[in-house]
Structures are given as structure tokens and as C-alpha cells.
């Protein structure tokens, strides 16, 4: 720019020196054959010609430089207008937009006219106004690349931008030229990445916690299995499909079925037999289908075919998500109690029959005797008394016969209890 500034004066100086040196000899040669006043006229014409020529020369030089300047300004304006990033020029003092490019108009949704009626504050959220004022007062360093701002479009959308700003003089005003880069997508991607990393860290922490809890649960399960194996109750674990998945040692020792023999099979295949009550089995199946607790008694069979009675408590076990994991049946062998109950039932039946006999058959002759005794207390003739005595003898004999029969029935019932216990006890209990 400095070379272009001194070029025209140098041209003018060289032309003047050349003209001064070469014009005097020419004028002297031309005027040598004429009078003295002709030489003055020629000199005047020479000066006028110099002025005209220098004026024409300066005109073309200035026009040429002006065209170059216009071309340069056009290139800079085209660069400003066609820049793919939003750009604008605003006056520093008033904060008003002086010029905006096409990219800014398309990006923010305002027309050029609307932009020129606004200030740079109008595209900022309120919470950033104070920060922007401080940045303008401090200078360009706080508004350079890497410092992120938030802008608002005409539709109200917000975007995160990076700003490059330079102070310039434009139309004789102290202005700032701003170029904006939309980094919303990059910031969102960074936030998503940070969230993903945070989520991954959280998942890793949860995984570590889960591993710790699993180890703890495994240890607790091992201890629980050891306890279950050592209790006397029979314990069976059944999967949702009804297959046995585990039995404790007490079950194997009592029934004769090892874990290997029982696993994968249904309880009905190895434990049920001819006298197993299928009505109770139906209740068990219904309870398991509805995931309900079941409590009841059932006649089962050992591996050697021996019958035994079991009192079972079946519970559904759910996983943390609420889904069925398995069923556990804790059973107590009650065969001895059942036999005692059967014996008591037979005694109860026998004594009930005896009580019925006593309350009905014995009461009839006894009531007659009591009535005859009451009549004997009255004043009766000798014949009447003899008749009553005869009736008393017959009633007494009848009562004696009934008592003897009852004693015989008691003996017979006691004998039937002993002889028919093994034959009838299961049939009567199941019934």
C-alpha cells in the first residue's frame, strides 16, 4: 500500500524533470530564426502543454489505481458476502448491525433490513447480555476462537457458536467484524459423549457392585445350601416347568433317590403311587400355576415302594425382577402321626357306636324300671304288686342282656381295631 502511495508522485517528478531538461533546447532551436517575443510564446505553450499532458497522465494513473481499489474492495465484499459462515459488522458504541452477509440471513432467519434495525444484543439470551458487555469492554481476546456463546434465531431456536472478532473502521465508524461458527452439533456430540462416558462409568460401577453382590449372594447361597443339607426336613427345588432341580441330603437318605436320580424328573414320576390322593395333587398343581403358597399332606412312596406321609410347604421364589425363579418344598415326614391319628379315629368310631347303644338301647329298660319303682311306692293290692314285680324282673333281665351285649361289642371292636388296622387305615384316611 505504501508503494502505491508514492508511485504517482514519483512518476510526476520524473516527467517534470524530463520535461524541464528537454524542453529548453527544443524551444531555443525553434526560436533561433524568430524574434525574441516568439520564444516567450513558445515557452508559454510549452508550459500549457506540460500541464495538459501531466493532467492526462495523472488522470489515467488515478483511474487505474481507483479501478484496482474498486476491484480489491469488490473482492473483499464478495469474500464477506459469500462466506459460508455467518458474518456481520456492528458499530462498537451503539452495538447496531452495519452490514450482514447472506449466510447470517439464512442462518438466523432475519432479513437484511431487520438485521440493520437490530443490535447484537437482540440475538443473545438475556442471561448472556452482561457477559457480552464485559467482553466488548475488555477487548477482542475474550471473544476469540474457543470462547463459546449462545445465540437465538428469529424462530426462537438456540445454538452454541464460536466467534472470531476484529476491530475495523467501516464507513468512518469504529466497528467490529464478526465471523460466527455454529458448533451446536459438536457441543451436543461432546455432551452426549460425556453422558455416554458417565453412563459407562455408572454401568461399570454397577457391574462392580453386581459382581460384589453376586459373590456375596454366592457365599450366602453356599452357606444356605450347607444349612439346608444338614436339616432333617426333606427339601426339593422345582423349576417353573415342574422338574426337580435339587434335593437335599435328608431327602436322598429318606427316599433312596440321589440328586442325580431325581434331577430333571418330575415329582409325580418318582414319588406318587397307587394310593396318592389325586385331589390333593390337583390342588398342588393349581397353587403352583398361580404362584401361590401351598400347605397340605400327601401320601408318597420311597424308591423301595414303602409308603410315607409328608406334610409339605411349597413356596414360589421370585427373582429381583419379579419373575418366577423356582419353587421350594420343605417337607416333614408325618407317617407316625398319621398312624396315631388313624388309631384314634378307629377308637373314636368304636366308642361312638357303644355310646349310641348305651344312650338308646340301655335307656329304654332302665326307664321302665324307674317307672315301675315309682308305682311300687303307691298303695297297691297284692296282685298289682306281684304283677309289677314280674315286670321289674323282665326289665332287669333285658337290661342285663343289653349290658352283656355291649361288653361283647366292646371286645369285638377292640379285636377288629387290632386285626384290621393295616387293611383299612389308608382307605379310611384317604376317604
Amino acid at each position: 500500500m505504501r508503494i502505491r502511495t508514492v508511485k504517482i508522485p514519483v512518476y510526476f517528478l520524473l516527467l517534470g524533470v524530463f520535461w524541464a531538461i528537454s524542453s529548453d533546447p527544443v524551444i531555443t532551436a525553434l526560436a533561433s530564426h524568430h524574434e525574441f517575443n516568439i520564444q516567450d510564446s513558445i515557452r508559454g505553450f510549452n508550459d500549457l502543454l506540460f500541464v495538459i499532458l501531466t493532467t492526462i497522465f495523472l488522470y489515467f494513473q488515478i483511474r487505474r489505481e481507483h479501478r484496482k481499489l474498486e476491484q480489491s474492495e469488490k473482492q473483499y465484499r464478495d469474500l464477506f458476502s459469500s462466506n459460508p459462515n455467518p458474518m456481520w459488522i456492528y458499530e462498537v458504541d451503539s452495538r447496531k448491525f452495519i452490514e450482514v452477509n447472506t449466510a447470517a440471513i439464512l442462518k438466523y432467519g432475519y432479513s437484511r433490513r431487520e438485521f440493520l434495525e437490530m443490535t447484537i444484543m437482540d440475538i443473545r439470551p438475556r442471561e448472556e447480555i452482561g457477559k457480552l458487555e464485559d467482553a466488548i469492554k475488555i477487548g477482542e481476546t475474550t471473544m476469540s476462537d474457543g470462547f463459546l456463546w449462545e445465540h437465538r434465531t428469529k424462530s426462537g431456536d438456540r445454538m452454541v457458536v464460536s466467534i472470531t472478532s476484529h476491530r475495523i473502521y467501516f464507513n468512518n465508524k469504529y466497528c467490529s467484524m464478526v465471523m460466527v461458527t455454529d458448533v451446536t452439533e459438536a457441543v451436543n456430540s461432546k455432551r452426549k459423549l460425556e453422558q455416554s462416558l458417565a453412563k459407562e462409568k455408572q454401568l461399570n460401577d454397577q457391574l462392580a457392585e453386581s459382581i460384589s453382590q453376586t459373590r456375596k449372594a454366592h457365599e450366602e447361597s453356599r452357606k444356605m445350601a450347607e444349612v439346608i443339607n444338614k436339616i432333617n426336613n426333606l427339601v426339593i427345588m422345582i423349576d417353573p416347568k415342574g422338574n426337580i432341580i435339587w434335593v437335599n441330603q435328608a431327602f436322598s437318605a429318606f427316599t433312596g433317590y440321589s440328586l442325580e436320580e431325581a434331577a430333571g424328573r418330575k415329582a409325580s414320576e418318582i414319588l406318587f403311587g397307587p394310593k396318592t390322593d389325586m385331589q390333593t395333587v390337583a390342588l398342588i398343581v393349581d397353587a403352583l400355576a398361580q404362584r401361590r403358597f401351598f400347605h397340605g399332606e400327601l401320601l408318597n412312596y420311597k424308591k423301595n415302594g414303602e409308603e410315607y406321609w409328608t406334610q409339605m410347604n411349597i413356596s414360589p421364589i421370585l427373582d429381583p425382577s419379579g419373575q418366577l425363579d423356582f419353587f421350594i418344598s420343605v417337607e416333614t415326614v408325618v407317617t407316625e402321626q398319621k398312624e396315631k391319628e388313624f388309631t384314634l379315629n378307629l377308637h373314636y368310631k368304636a366308642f361312638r357306636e357303644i355310646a349310641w347303644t348305651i344312650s338308646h338301647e340301655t335307656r329304654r329298660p332302665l326307664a321302665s324300671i324307674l317307672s315301675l319303682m315309682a308305682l311300687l311306692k303307691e298303695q297297691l293290692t297284692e296282685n298289682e304288686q306281684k304283677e309289677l314285680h314280674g315286670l321289674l324282673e323282665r326289665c332287669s333281665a333285658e337290661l342285663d342282656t343289653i349290658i352283656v351285649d355291649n361288653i361283647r361289642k366292646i371286645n369285638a371292636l377292640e379285636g377288629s381295631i387290632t386285626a384290621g388296622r393295616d387293611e383299612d387305615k389308608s382307605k379310611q384316611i384317604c376317604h
Side-chain angles (χ1 to χ4, degrees), residues 23-24 26-47:
S23 61
D24 281 345
V26 173
I27 293 172
T28 302
L30 291 175
S32 60
H33 303 288
H34 301 280
E35 296 179 357
F36 182 77
N37 57 349
I38 295 298
Q39 187 175 1
D40 292 335
S41 298
I42 293 174
R43 289 186 182 279
F45 176 76
N46 178 66
D47 294 338

Side-chain angles (χ1 to χ4, degrees), residues 6-145:
V6 300
K7 185 164 56 174
I8 294 176
V10 169
Y11 286 161
F12 182 76
L13 176 62
L14 293 175
L15 180 61
V17 171
F18 172 76
W19 192 271
I21 294 174
S22 61
S23 61
D24 281 345
V26 173
I27 293 172
T28 302
L30 291 175
S32 60
H33 303 288
H34 301 280
E35 296 179 357
F36 182 77
N37 57 349
I38 295 298
Q39 187 175 1
D40 292 335
S41 298
I42 293 174
R43 289 186 182 279
F45 176 76
N46 178 66
D47 294 338
L48 179 61
L49 180 61
F50 175 77
V51 171
I52 293 173
L53 291 175
T54 54
T55 301
I56 293 172
F57 176 77
L58 290 176
Y59 168 76
F60 281 106
Q61 287 297 322
I62 293 173
R63 183 179 177 182
R64 180 183 177 186
E65 295 298 326
H66 183 69
R67 286 179 178 177
K68 290 181 179 180
L69 181 61
E70 286 181 344
Q71 185 177 4
S72 177
E73 288 180 353
K74 184 177 182 302
Q75 289 177 348
Y76 280 108
R77 184 174 294 276
D78 290 343
L79 181 63
F80 175 84
S81 299
S82 61
N83 196 303
N85 290 328
M87 294 186 67
W88 56 71
I89 300 173
Y90 73 91
E91 186 181 6
V92 175
D93 294 334
S94 66
R95 314 291 197 259
K96 291 190 66 175
F97 288 100
I98 303 299
E99 188 60 73
V100 294
N101 70 348
T102 303
I105 294 172
L106 295 175
K107 188 71 174 180
Y108 288 80
Y110 296 101
S111 65
R112 185 174 183 280
R113 180 177 179 182
E114 289 174 325
F115 259 119
L116 299 182
E117 293 176 353
M118 297 164 53
T119 68
I120 60 173
M121 305 301 180
D122 295 328
I123 62 171
R124 307 276 182 157
R126 291 184 179 180
E127 57 269 22
E128 285 196 356
I129 297 299
K131 185 172 68 172
L132 176 62
E133 291 286 359
D134 294 339
I136 294 175
K137 291 178 182 178
I138 294 173
E140 301 297 332
T141 55
T142 57
M143 300 178 65
S144 60
D145 290 330

Side-chain angles (χ1 to χ4, degrees), residues 396-410:
S396 297
E398 184 181 355
L399 180 59
D400 181 65
T401 301
I402 292 172
I403 292 174
V404 172
D405 289 340
N406 285 334
I407 292 173
R408 190 183 302 112
K409 288 181 179 179
I410 291 173

Side-chain angles (χ1 to χ4, degrees), residues 221-232:
S221 298
R222 185 190 65 79
K223 292 180 180 178
M224 182 61 67
E226 186 175 350
V227 171
I228 292 175
N229 260 330
K230 291 182 178 180
I231 64 176
N232 293 325

Side-chain angles (χ1 to χ4, degrees), residues 240-251:
K241 295 182 179 180
N243 299 316
I244 297 174
I245 56 177
W246 188 82
V247 296
N248 69 341
Q249 293 178 359
F251 175 89

Side-chain angles (χ1 to χ4, degrees), residues 194-208:
E194 291 175 349
Q195 291 174 356
S196 299
L197 293 175
K199 186 66 175 179
E200 182 180 0
K201 183 179 182 302
Q202 181 182 0
L203 291 175
N204 289 335
D205 293 342
Q206 291 177 352
L207 178 60

